[in-house]
């Protein structure tokens, strides 16, 4: 399975600049991070300072830990 990688740094940038706290496939597409048919995996590169909720096809252990450490939630779809 080939995933489209989205790093925590990208999520943090959207959270701080646009105030987005709920991330799902539609949000990723609307902000140019993925295409319609991509399988999305969240990777732990970058620093996360915001409490966010993320729905994606996969999560690295580092990303999962970072999101949960900020009080956020991860949903695998």
């Amino acid at each position: 399975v080939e995933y489209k990688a989205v790093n925590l740094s990208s999520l943090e940038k959207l959270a701080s600049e646009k105030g987005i706290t709920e991330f799902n496939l539609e949000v990723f597409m609307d902000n140019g991070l993925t295409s319609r048919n991509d399988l999305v995996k969240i990777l732990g590169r970058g620093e996360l300072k915001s409490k966010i909720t993320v729905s994606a096809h996969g999560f690295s252990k580092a990303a999962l830990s970072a999101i949960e450490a900020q009080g956020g939630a991860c949903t695998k779809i």
Side-chain angles (χ1 to χ4, degrees):
V1 178
E2 195 168 314
Y3 290 99
K4 174 72 175 174
V6 177
N7 287 303
L8 290 179
S9 57
S10 300
L11 301 183
E12 175 60 33
K13 184 176 180 182
L14 288 173
S16 62
E17 291 178 1
K18 296 187 177 184
I20 300 171
T21 57
E22 298 272 337
F23 291 90
N24 56 37
L25 299 181
E26 190 173 315
V27 172
F28 296 137
M29 284 189 296
D30 290 348
N31 288 284
L33 297 175
T34 64
S35 299
R36 179 166 308 284
N37 297 321
D38 287 338
L39 296 176
V40 179
K41 184 170 186 177
I42 308 302
L43 302 181
R45 185 169 173 210
E47 186 178 356
L48 184 67
K49 300 174 185 171
S50 306
K51 179 181 176 183
I52 60 174
T53 302
V54 185
S55 296
H57 297 100
F59 297 88
S60 70
K61 289 181 183 177
L64 195 61
S65 297
I67 292 168
E68 291 175 346
Q70 292 298 326
C74 300
T75 305
K76 193 170 183 180
I77 52 175

